[in-house]
Amino acid sequence: MLTYLLLTYFSWRQGYRLSLAGIAGIIVAVGFTADSFIVYFERIRDALRDGFALEQAVEQGWKRAFRTVLASDGINFLAAAILFILAVGSVQGFAFTLGLTTLVDVLVVALFTHPMVVLLARTRFYADGHPLSGLDPQRLGAVYRGRAQFREPTAGKKGAAAKKSTGAAKEAQRRQTIAERKALEAARGQGEAVGASTTTGKES
């Protein structure tokens, strides 16, 4: 709707005429908007895996996702600007609508998507982690606590639930940074050293 209003304004004021190439630019930009939402949603899921509550995960996900969206849209807008300067004819129309809708994508993500997700996070459907919401911490395997610390899987889980917990733990271990791995190895080394000294003291 916002893109339509802007194109209508430019058509009225600047005499812009929408061509087939311009329509292609709008269609491509629809994919950008969908990608921005997917990035945001996946960052929220990552924050839930890190052990944050839903409302905190929304804010953490927004901080991470918005940087990614800005970087992606910035590159798209730069490409559209270069194409508009160097190209002629209908290709310029494609570049114009691509750049315009890229700017619209930033506005939609910042002024609509984020506030709407914040409101939805307060509803019972999402706050309680309904399985259909895609934000159920148990299904996501929220075992990672940071600084190489993991919550042990709940005892008594069998079958598919146990396999899911094991898979989540392995995924969390793969997500460790190099510093966290070194910290975990150092902690294990200190524990082994303390255990060895205690054993030596008992023997003596």
Side-chain angles (χ1 to χ4, degrees), residues 20-183:
L20 188 61
I23 296 175
I26 295 175
I27 294 174
V28 171
V30 171
F32 294 160
T33 304
D35 288 341
S36 298
F37 176 76
I38 292 171
V39 168
Y40 185 19
F41 189 74
E42 288 301 321
R43 292 297 183 272
I44 295 174
R45 288 161 62 92
D46 289 341
L48 288 174
R49 291 188 185 99
D50 290 344
F52 289 97
L54 181 57
E55 292 189 8
Q56 296 174 340
V58 168
E59 295 302 324
Q60 290 292 326
W62 170 246
K63 292 177 182 178
R64 299 176 186 176
F66 192 58
R67 291 194 296 265
T68 305
V69 170
L70 284 180
S72 175
D73 285 344
I75 293 173
N76 291 331
F77 184 79
L78 181 62
I82 294 174
L83 188 62
F84 183 81
I85 294 172
L86 299 179
V88 294
S90 61
V91 180
Q92 274 190 328
F94 171 81
F96 177 78
T97 55
L98 181 63
L100 181 65
T101 49
T102 299
L103 295 177
V104 171
D105 177 48
V106 177
L107 293 176
V108 169
V109 170
L111 301 180
F112 176 77
T113 304
H114 175 53
M116 184 61 64
V117 172
V118 171
L119 292 176
L120 290 176
R122 297 173 183 173
T123 62
R124 185 175 180 180
F125 180 80
Y126 290 96
D128 292 345
H130 193 279
L132 296 179
S133 68
L135 300 175
D136 184 6
Q138 294 182 354
R139 289 177 176 268
L140 293 174
V143 297
Y144 183 68
R145 288 182 174 177
R147 296 302 301 168
Q149 297 178 1
F150 296 87
R151 173 173 57 81
E152 294 296 332
T154 305
K157 289 186 177 181
K158 300 180 181 180
K163 292 181 180 179
K164 190 177 296 183
S165 298
T166 304
K170 290 181 179 179
E171 180 182 354
Q173 290 177 355
R174 286 196 298 268
R175 289 165 54 83
Q176 283 181 294
T177 63
I178 296 176
E180 290 173 339
R181 290 175 182 172
K182 289 182 178 179

